[in-house]
Amino acid sequence: MPLQPNSPEARDVAYLLHPYTNFRQHEEQGPMVIERGDGVYVWDTGGKQYIEGMAGLWSTSLGFQHKRLVAAAVKQLETLPYYHQFGQKSHLPGIDLAERLMGLAPTSVSKVFFNNSGSEANDTAIKFVWYYNNARGRHQKKKIIGRVNGYHGITLAAASLTGRSLNHSGFDVPLERFIHTNNPHYYRFGEDGESEEDFATRMAEELDALIESEGPDTVAAFFAEPVMGAGGVIVPPATYFPKIQEVLRKHDVLFVADEVICGFCRTGNFWGSETFGIEPDILVCAKALSSSYLPISATMISDEVYQAIADQSAKMGVFGHGYTYSGHPVAAAVALETLKIYEEEDTLGHVQSVVGRFQERIQGFAGHPLVGEARGVGLVGATELVKDKATKEAFAASDGVGALVNDLCAQEGLITRPVGDSMCFAPPLVITASEIDEMFDRYARALDAGLDLLTKQGKAVA
């Protein structure tokens, strides 16, 4: 259907560039324009209702229209709408938020640095790592290890750390110093007869071999999401992170936990690091820090890292890093209120009360003819669509199966996110058991419709 002149859709096509978009396709089809939201639901400009099965971008943890967050923003706007944190300047919302985060951290934290996005938080962590090793006189210990299919953002350094070809092709990244170890996806890469624990051992041995081949004196840090989010919700195999950390300690390599998606109750604990036994030297968080009502992220560092960079800043006269909006007072006030709501409304307790239903429903798709693997933990999960369940044969990328099922989900009033042919779910943490059923009932209808279409086209093995 052609776009109507002067409609929001036509004006969008005329003026906007969108992230993660095929621009030529967008010119023809236009956008879905979301007008309002409430709880776990959003509505487009045509009045159609959708369950937001992805909480926006894994992030609107308290749902849409939480009045306390709106009030916190308004109050701060009326008090101090902006101030910075450069040159020993500060403000109360930033101080209060840093103090609160340090009290909540899953490991010993010395200081908190504020940024505006997960990408910036990871870029800052990378710069801390390099500055730290320079301060210690280890000028060659600078290589950063990410994981194939891991996701840490799309600024130049974060995109280099990210391990997805989609984010590399055409952009001349990764930059030098960034290397990648293997993807710990047991379903896809486990060998015949290999247990999860044996697979985890092999992943740790391959990391060890990579560090040895690069030279331990050149490898500075390893970054990992507790659960790979944008890589398709890859849950680590049993014993994976304890074995990985043993390798890192052996080679004096810092562990940076990317909690941008997993932090703040998503995995059934307050931090994904708690769920999987991770003890990071640096932790980054964003998204649910403010329920995404305003942009803010944090990079939290251990005392060992802080002491080294503090000494170096004294030698150099200044730590030359920061953003105009680092710790923006309105964003900080909203984030602080978000953390208060998590505590006062017992968000973690609510999550723990509904994760059983969420995981039961998503695991229920494991028997569907299109689903090769159903996986997840807490309130995050995915179903991986395959051409042949018996052989795990994937669909050809040109088949566009994930995009097809995503469109069918939208027809059913469900917003999800395809990562290739993995259909991902990360609804607002406030979702109820009945809303979980409603979400997956809609998905079931879309999945059945997709199977019917693909079978008729001869693309699926029923």
Side-chain angles (χ1 to χ4, degrees), residues 167-190:
N167 303 109
H168 294 166
S169 299
F171 294 109
D172 291 352
V173 293
L175 303 174
E176 292 183 5
R177 295 182 174 178
F178 293 91
I179 53 180
H180 297 86
T181 192
N182 288 326
N183 178 355
H185 187 185
Y186 177 63
Y187 170 77
R188 274 291 162 206
F189 305 114

Side-chain angles (χ1 to χ4, degrees), residues 19-191:
Y20 283 78
T21 297
N22 178 325
F23 295 142
R24 295 304 183 200
Q25 183 182 69
H26 184 65
E27 289 171 356
E28 295 179 4
Q29 298 177 355
M32 174 193 291
V33 181
I34 299 300
E35 188 172 43
R36 63 186 181 93
D38 189 13
V40 301
Y41 300 97
V42 294
W43 286 261
D44 66 21
T45 50
K48 183 177 177 65
Q49 180 213 68
Y50 304 85
I51 292 180
E52 231 309 349
M54 282 298 297
L57 283 175
W58 322 81
S59 56
T60 314
S61 51
L62 294 174
F64 301 86
Q65 288 302 324
H66 199 296
K67 302 303 182 186
R68 284 179 60 177
L69 299 184
V70 176
V74 171
K75 181 179 179 181
Q76 187 59 44
L77 282 166
E78 293 174 340
T79 306
L80 181 69
Y82 170 72
Y83 212 71
H84 61 87
Q85 296 184 337
F86 279 49
Q88 298 174 255
K89 303 292 194 305
S90 196
H91 49 72
L92 290 175
I95 296 167
D96 292 344
L97 180 59
E99 181 180 25
R100 189 65 176 268
L101 279 172
M102 281 185 59
L104 291 169
T107 189
S108 178
V109 169
S110 178
K111 296 292 183 291
V112 179
F113 188 94
F114 290 118
N115 323 270
N116 308 290
S117 68
S119 297
E120 287 183 8
N122 279 310
D123 266 33
T124 292
I126 291 164
K127 291 179 76 174
F128 275 144
V129 169
W130 287 341
Y131 200 87
Y132 163 78
N133 277 316
N134 282 333
R136 297 187 62 187
R138 306 191 305 188
H139 302 292
Q140 303 304 313
K141 200 171 177 67
K142 300 293 176 61
K143 293 175 185 174
I144 308 291
I145 299 178
R147 298 182 294 175
V148 173
N149 225 33
Y151 187 84
H152 302 283
I154 44 73
T155 48
L156 276 172
S160 298
L161 177 58
T162 287
R164 304 180 70 219
S165 59
L166 169 70
N167 303 109
H168 294 166
S169 299
F171 294 109
D172 291 352
V173 293
L175 303 174
E176 292 183 5
R177 295 182 174 178
F178 293 91
I179 53 180
H180 297 86
T181 192
N182 288 326
N183 178 355
H185 187 185
Y186 177 63
Y187 170 77
R188 274 291 162 206
F189 305 114
E191 296 175 351

Side-chain angles (χ1 to χ4, degrees), residues 419-437:
V419 175
D421 291 337
S422 289
M423 306 304 298
C424 301
F425 296 86
L429 301 180
V430 295
I431 195 169
T432 65
S434 62
E435 289 167 342
I436 288 170
D437 283 335

Side-chain angles (χ1 to χ4, degrees), residues 1 3 18 35 40 59 129 145 148 162 171 184 192 198 208 235 272 287 296 310 333 401 429 439 444-445 447 459-460:
M1 179 183 297
L3 302 179
H18 288 259
E35 188 172 43
V40 301
S59 56
V129 169
I145 299 178
V148 173
T162 287
F171 294 109
D192 289 344
D198 289 342
D208 184 57
V235 181
K287 294 189 184 292
I296 189 169
V401 171
L429 301 180
M439 178 176 70
R445 293 193 294 271
L447 201 56
K459 293 179 180 179

Side-chain angles (χ1 to χ4, degrees), residues 268 346-358 379 429 431-433 436:
D346 191 17
T347 300
L348 181 57
H350 171 74
V351 168
Q352 292 172 341
S353 75
V354 299
V355 292
R357 188 59 179 160
F358 179 91
L379 279 181
L429 301 180
I431 195 169
T432 65
I436 288 170

Side-chain angles (χ1 to χ4, degrees), residues 164-355:
R164 304 180 70 219
S165 59
L166 169 70
N167 303 109
H168 294 166
S169 299
F171 294 109
D172 291 352
V173 293
L175 303 174
E176 292 183 5
R177 295 182 174 178
F178 293 91
I179 53 180
H180 297 86
T181 192
N182 288 326
N183 178 355
H185 187 185
Y186 177 63
Y187 170 77
R188 274 291 162 206
F189 305 114
E191 296 175 351
D192 289 344
E194 187 176 42
S195 69
E196 277 195 46
E197 291 83 356
D198 289 342
F199 175 65
T201 297
R202 178 159 61 86
M203 292 293 99
E205 290 172 345
E206 290 176 0
L207 174 62
D208 184 57
L210 176 64
I211 294 172
E212 290 284 3
S213 68
E214 294 289 335
D217 59 335
T218 72
V219 179
F222 171 84
F223 281 63
E225 308 153 86
V227 174
M228 282 186 176
V233 188
I234 307 303
V235 181
T239 72
Y240 173 77
F241 277 117
K243 292 172 179 174
I244 290 294
Q245 289 177 112
E246 186 176 343
V247 172
L248 300 177
R249 284 190 288 267
K250 171 185 172 183
H251 295 296
D252 192 16
V253 173
L254 296 174
F255 192 133
V256 183
D258 183 339
E259 293 265 10
V260 169
I261 286 175
C262 296
F264 309 106
C265 311
R266 176 60 65 185
T267 65
N269 289 292
F270 200 82
W271 300 100
S273 293
E274 295 173 289
T275 301
F276 298 105
I278 299 169
E279 298 176 356
D281 300 288
I282 299 175
L283 182 149
V284 302
C285 60
K287 294 189 184 292
L289 174 57
S290 66
S291 190
S292 287
Y293 278 45
L294 285 173
I296 189 169
S297 65
T299 305
M300 297 189 273
I301 62 174
S302 69
D303 190 59
E304 179 184 351
V305 174
Y306 168 68
Q307 293 300 334
I309 65 175
D311 287 343
Q312 186 77 343
S313 73
K315 290 178 183 177
M316 301 185 74
V318 67
F319 178 68
H321 174 74
Y323 309 98
T324 300
Y325 304 119
S326 290
H328 190 290
V330 183
V334 171
L336 187 63
E337 188 69 10
T338 300
L339 297 181
K340 290 178 181 178
I341 291 168
Y342 289 152
E343 179 181 3
E344 293 168 12
E345 297 187 0
D346 191 17
T347 300
L348 181 57
H350 171 74
V351 168
Q352 292 172 341
S353 75
V354 299
V355 292

